[in-house]
Amino acid sequence: MEAVFMFFCTLLVWLMTPGIALFYGGMVRSKNVLSTAMYSFSSMAIISILWVVVGYSLAFAPGNAFIGSFDWTFLHSVGFDPNATYSDAIPHTLFMMFQMTFAILTVAIISGAFAERMNFAAYLIFIILWSLLVYSPVAHWVWGNGGWLRELGALDFAGGNVVHISSGVTGLVLAIVLGRRKEAENSSPHNLPLALIGGILVWFGWYGFNVGSALTIDNVAMAAFVNTNSAAAAGIIGWVAVEWLINKKPTMLGTISGAIAGLVSITPAAGFVTVGSALLIGFLGGAICFWAVFWLKGKLKYDDALDAFGLHGIGGIWGGIATGLFATTKINKLGADGLFYGNAGLLGKQLIAIGSTVVFVAIATIIIIYVIKIFIPIRVDEEQEYKGLDLTLHGEKAYHD
């Protein structure tokens, strides 16, 4: 039963990355839709190989407090028999594949920040280095055997730190280093129905993302299921309510963005909080992410093209804090009580986890970028950007006149 359940959840999370390709592709200009989708599909190819060769071992094999080891390279000792450290009910290879979909998705999310201007060759080199030097260590800290945040007692049910904060912060750093697009003020989504389809696929896959993180079908999994949908719905209301108040019109893009904001916000807390808390977390997540996308980005003048930081970075930070406020052992006896249940210590641990992740990811990303810049340009030239990356980098056009 558990193996079938986790197999299905793994497929659902796998579907999220093509969903991101469509979601992001619909939001860029028509001359960049294919290049934007290529970022996501490249992550599926490259990270899939890296993960089975060495990435999974660095993230989950026994090591020290900060990184795993090379014991499971090329999946040595990773077979059908369960590994009791992570799950005694599903094959170890199935757990590995489930975690691989997280690693792929995280890289795909980053690409939203620098869409329409990053050199594709530099991107490929970047994701190889980033996956091994940033993603695997953070995954080990939070979920790996002996990881220091796991031992500290910080909670991250399905990837608030590992997936969303790490991808959002990385996207912000890349957006700042690359600089603004030449026509940033004139950019607008070229195909909102395409973005809507992608957003729906991402939402659908998120059930596997959050519910599957219970690694079995039990009361915690069902709590995560209910909380995931509830937070997404509340995120829509939170985003659209503020949008309607400020911009005087509710939009379809705002609706799907609000859903994703709610989903990001509930991710670290999904298996630890009540449904009432999930509704509040999602609603505030929608409102906070709207603020980040429409006020913070404008105020600080960084060009986070498709709001990877505004949705995933800010939403992930809020979700991590919310876990420290609302978590309760009444929902998950393996979790901890948060501030509103009499335990201020958990909030402190969550802040340590968030702060350490932000600092490490930002510094490591900056170093990787500047090392790559020594050998290859990380941004396309002005003519390529003007003509569009679909044609100049990939020799294709999505639409023909």
Side-chain angles (χ1 to χ4, degrees):
M1 174 74 80
E2 284 83 1
V4 174
F5 166 70
M6 287 305 301
F7 180 78
F8 181 63
C9 287
T10 300
L11 295 180
L12 285 177
V13 184
W14 180 92
L15 187 64
M16 294 176 74
T17 300
I20 284 286
L22 295 176
F23 181 61
Y24 282 171
M27 289 198 293
V28 295
R29 287 165 287 192
S30 59
K31 62 184 179 181
N32 293 313
V33 58
L34 299 178
S35 63
T36 300
M38 277 289 285
Y39 293 135
S40 293
F41 280 92
S42 298
S43 74
M44 297 174 73
I46 290 175
I47 305 306
S48 291
I49 295 171
L50 281 179
W51 193 248
V52 299
V53 172
V54 68
Y56 178 67
S57 187
L58 293 175
F60 288 96
N64 55 45
F66 300 101
I67 192 70
S69 66
F70 294 102
D71 291 351
W72 294 347
T73 53
F74 289 95
L75 303 186
H76 177 72
S77 298
V78 179
F80 186 81
D81 293 336
N83 182 293
T85 300
Y86 300 113
S87 172
D88 58 6
I90 65 172
H92 193 182
T93 45
L94 182 53
F95 176 79
M96 180 276 299
M97 288 293 291
F98 181 64
Q99 291 297 334
M100 182 183 74
T101 61
F102 282 54
I104 293 169
L105 177 68
T106 305
V107 170
I109 291 170
I110 296 169
S111 65
F114 56 74
E116 303 192 303
R117 63 197 189 276
M118 188 168 186
N119 181 4
F120 186 64
Y123 167 76
L124 297 179
I125 298 169
F126 174 82
I127 65 174
I128 292 171
L129 296 176
W130 190 89
S131 176
L132 297 177
L133 301 177
V134 179
Y135 183 86
S136 286
V138 173
H140 185 78
W141 294 1
V142 176
W143 293 327
N145 185 8
W148 74 277
L149 289 177
R150 176 174 170 165
E151 296 299 316
L152 177 68
L155 300 180
D156 185 356
F157 188 75
N161 274 65
V162 181
V163 176
H164 298 295
I165 295 177
S166 67
S167 63
V169 170
T170 299
L172 176 64
V173 171
L174 278 163
I176 292 172
V177 173
L178 282 164
R180 296 179 63 81
R181 290 166 291 173
K182 299 300 181 184
E183 303 171 298
E185 291 77 12
N186 299 321
S187 63
S188 60
H190 88 282
N191 192 328
L192 283 177
L194 185 68
L196 176 61
I197 292 170
I200 290 170
L201 290 175
V202 170
W203 187 347
F204 180 61
W206 220 295
Y207 293 117
F209 192 75
N210 282 1
V211 182
S213 292
L215 301 178
T216 188
I217 301 178
D218 60 6
N219 63 303
V220 174
M222 290 303 99
F225 190 20
V226 174
N227 288 342
T228 297
N229 192 70
S230 300
I236 292 173
I237 296 172
W239 182 294
V240 172
V242 179
E243 180 182 51
W244 206 340
L245 181 67
I246 294 176
N247 296 339
K248 309 305 180 185
K249 293 180 181 179
T251 66
M252 187 66 250
L253 183 58
T255 298
I256 196 63
S257 297
I260 291 176
L263 290 163
V264 171
S265 299
I266 198 59
T267 290
F272 298 120
V273 301
T274 66
V275 66
S277 296
L279 288 168
L280 184 58
I281 291 168
F283 178 84
L284 292 176
I288 291 168
C289 289
F290 178 90
W291 164 81
V293 168
F294 286 94
W295 185 86
L296 184 64
K297 183 169 70 169
K299 192 73 172 179
L300 299 183
K301 304 297 183 184
Y302 59 86
D303 186 13
D304 178 6
L306 307 178
D307 301 308
F309 177 69
L311 287 173
H312 298 273
I314 296 296
I317 290 170
W318 159 239
I321 294 170
T323 304
L325 298 174
F326 297 105
T328 171
T329 52
K330 294 177 181 178
I331 296 298
N332 189 339
K333 64 182 180 180
L334 298 180
D337 288 324
L339 177 65
F340 295 150
Y341 290 85
N343 178 22
L346 179 62
L347 180 58
K349 294 173 182 178
Q350 295 301 106
L351 292 174
I352 290 171
I354 292 167
S356 60
T357 301
V358 169
V359 171
F360 171 72
V361 169
I363 292 174
T365 299
I366 290 170
I367 292 172
I368 292 170
I369 293 170
Y370 280 97
V371 169
I372 294 172
K373 284 182 70 173
I374 296 173
F375 303 99
I376 187 173
I378 63 168
R379 180 168 177 158
V380 298
D381 62 42
E382 190 169 341
E383 182 180 1
Q384 289 174 316
E385 187 173 346
Y386 177 76
K387 290 182 177 179
L389 306 192
D390 290 1
L391 191 60
T392 58
L393 295 187
H394 304 290
E396 298 177 300
K397 292 178 69 175
Y399 310 102
H400 294 276
D401 300 330

